[in-house]
């Protein structure tokens, strides 16, 4: 086992080289076979080389973790499995927060706070937003997307000669159906009573593409942006499915929310259309 030291901000920190910090499963088994359980394994029962590691393991756990302590933290978790020594609670809390991507400190994720992600609870886990207290208002969302077909597929669509049938009509129906199924496709979306779904497809000769636009309306406590985006996405996929036999170069692009209105955040319109 190779142990090295380095200087960082005047403080000596132990670095356990990644290639040598793994104790093989054979050593695990030999240790466990000489003891009744992991938790009952005492330092005095260990060979000198592992006794030193055990001592260092205890010493390391008494210190707080920083974001640069990944190697040590990983090693400590492995040794905990062998020696049964619990991690220091503060250190464990910080490590779990780091792994989940959300810390309790304001500096754990620069530019992000828990208030900005409505589908994340205080512990950093996914959560469906409770909209019971929100007032019902008129909601509208518009989205768009594009399917770049290429010359052959575009000409076939224009002539309505795709073997599967009328591409634009089938894709339009697929988009409308998809908007109504959004809550079944996106896990944390609410099941919304939609007032209307409008999906339009048009041919862009210059780009040899199909342009897709969707507009969704509702009166309720939450927005319909996801419904509009889902309608566009599935309509684009349907165009792809119906034309893929004619070309493998088809590309779906520029799926985006164009505008929304209603709700606490008010109206919004994309400026760089």
């Amino acid at each position: 086992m190779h142990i090295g030291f380095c200087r960082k901000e005047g403080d000596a920190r132990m670095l356990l080289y990644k290639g040598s910090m793994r104790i093989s499963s054979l050593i695990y088994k030999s240790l466990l076979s000489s003891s009744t359980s992991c938790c009952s394994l005492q330092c005095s029962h260990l060979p000198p080389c592992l006794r030193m590691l055990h001592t260092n393991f205890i010493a390391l756990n008494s210190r707080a973790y920083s974001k640069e302590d990944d190697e040590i933290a990983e090693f400590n978790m492995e040794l905990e499995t062998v020696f049964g020594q619990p991690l220091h609670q503060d250190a464990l809390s910080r490590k779990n927060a780091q792994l989940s991507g959300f810390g309790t400190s304001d500096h754990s994720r620069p530019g992000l706070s828990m208030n900005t992600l409505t589908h994340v609870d205080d512990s950093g886990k996914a959560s469906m937003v409770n909209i019971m207290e929100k007032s019902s208002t008129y909601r509208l969302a518009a989205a768009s997307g594009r399917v770049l077909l290429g010359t052959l597929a575009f000409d076939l669509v224009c002539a309505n000669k795709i073997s599967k049938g009328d591409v634009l009509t089938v894709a339009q129906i697929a988009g409308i159906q998809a908007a109504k199924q959004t809550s079944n496709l996106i896990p944390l979306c609410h099941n919304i009573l939609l007032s209307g779904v409008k999906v339009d497809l048009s041919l862009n000769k210059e780009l040899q593409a199909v342009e897709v636009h969707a507009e969704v309306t509702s009166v309720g406590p939450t927005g319909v942006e996801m419904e509009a985006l889902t309608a566009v996405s599935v309509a684009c996929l349907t165009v792809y499915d119906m034309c893929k036999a004619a070309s493998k170069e088809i590309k779906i692009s520029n799926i985006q929310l164009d505008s929304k209105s209603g709700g606490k955040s008010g109206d919004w319109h994309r400026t760089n259309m």
Side-chain angles (χ1 to χ4, degrees):
M1 183 72 66
H2 188 91
I3 299 177
F5 293 87
C6 72
R7 296 275 178 183
K8 181 175 182 183
E9 298 178 358
D11 180 32
R13 292 175 180 268
M14 178 181 292
L15 291 181
L16 301 170
Y17 293 157
K18 192 168 185 178
S20 59
M21 72 183 207
R22 297 283 195 272
I23 299 176
S24 71
S25 59
L26 292 177
I27 296 179
Y28 282 177
K29 293 178 181 179
S30 66
L31 288 173
L32 294 176
S33 63
S34 63
S35 176
T36 57
S37 69
C38 251
C39 295
S40 64
L41 190 61
Q42 302 296 324
C43 184
S44 58
H45 297 162
L46 301 174
C49 61
L50 293 180
R51 191 181 306 164
M52 179 183 64
L53 286 177
H54 185 268
T55 301
N56 289 334
F57 169 62
I58 301 301
L60 282 171
N61 283 328
S62 65
R63 301 187 311 181
Y65 286 87
S66 66
K67 289 185 179 180
E68 293 77 22
D69 287 327
D70 290 340
E71 296 290 332
I72 295 175
E74 185 179 355
F75 182 62
N76 284 346
M77 289 182 178
E78 290 185 20
L79 288 182
E80 181 186 356
T81 304
V82 179
F83 300 117
Q85 177 69 31
L87 288 172
H88 190 275
Q89 188 60 38
D90 291 340
L92 182 59
S93 297
R94 290 194 180 189
K95 185 59 183 176
N96 287 340
Q98 180 182 345
L99 291 175
S100 65
F102 298 96
T104 56
S105 170
D106 291 339
H107 304 289
S108 60
R109 289 284 298 275
L112 280 181
S113 68
M114 294 303 295
N115 292 332
T116 63
L117 300 176
T118 58
H119 286 295
V120 178
D121 63 18
D122 293 338
S123 64
K125 296 181 180 179
S127 174
M128 189 171 184
V129 177
N130 189 334
I131 60 175
M132 183 175 60
E133 301 298 329
K134 299 176 68 176
S135 59
S136 293
T137 62
Y138 175 75
R139 312 278 183 157
L140 183 148
S144 62
R146 177 179 295 150
V147 185
L148 301 169
L149 296 176
T151 303
L152 176 59
F154 183 79
D155 290 343
L156 289 173
V157 172
C158 290
N160 197 18
K161 291 185 177 180
I162 292 293
S163 59
K164 286 191 174 184
D166 186 344
V167 173
L168 303 187
T169 299
V170 174
Q172 180 185 39
I173 295 173
I176 294 172
Q177 288 289 86
K180 297 187 291 184
Q181 297 296 321
T182 299
S183 62
N184 292 329
L185 299 172
I186 312 298
L188 300 182
C189 280
H190 294 87
N191 188 2
I192 299 175
L193 180 61
L194 301 180
S195 300
V197 179
K198 182 180 180 181
V199 178
D200 293 320
L201 292 91
S202 59
L203 298 172
N204 185 327
K205 293 183 180 181
E206 181 180 356
L207 297 177
Q208 295 182 329
V210 175
E211 304 284 355
V212 182
H213 297 272
E215 183 177 286
V216 180
T217 56
S218 177
V219 176
T222 190
V224 289
E225 294 94 323
M226 292 307 302
E227 283 70 20
L229 287 166
T230 301
V232 169
S233 299
V234 173
C236 288
L237 285 170
T238 302
V239 172
Y240 186 100
D241 174 63
M242 297 191 70
C243 300
K244 67 181 185 291
S247 174
K248 305 302 181 186
E249 301 295 328
I250 299 173
K251 180 179 179 181
I252 297 174
S253 67
N254 295 82
I255 295 178
Q256 61 186 27
L257 179 70
D258 295 330
S259 63
K260 58 84 62 179
S261 63
K264 184 178 179 180
S265 61
D267 297 350
W268 176 86
H269 299 275
R270 185 177 296 277
T271 57
N272 55 340
M273 298 290 288

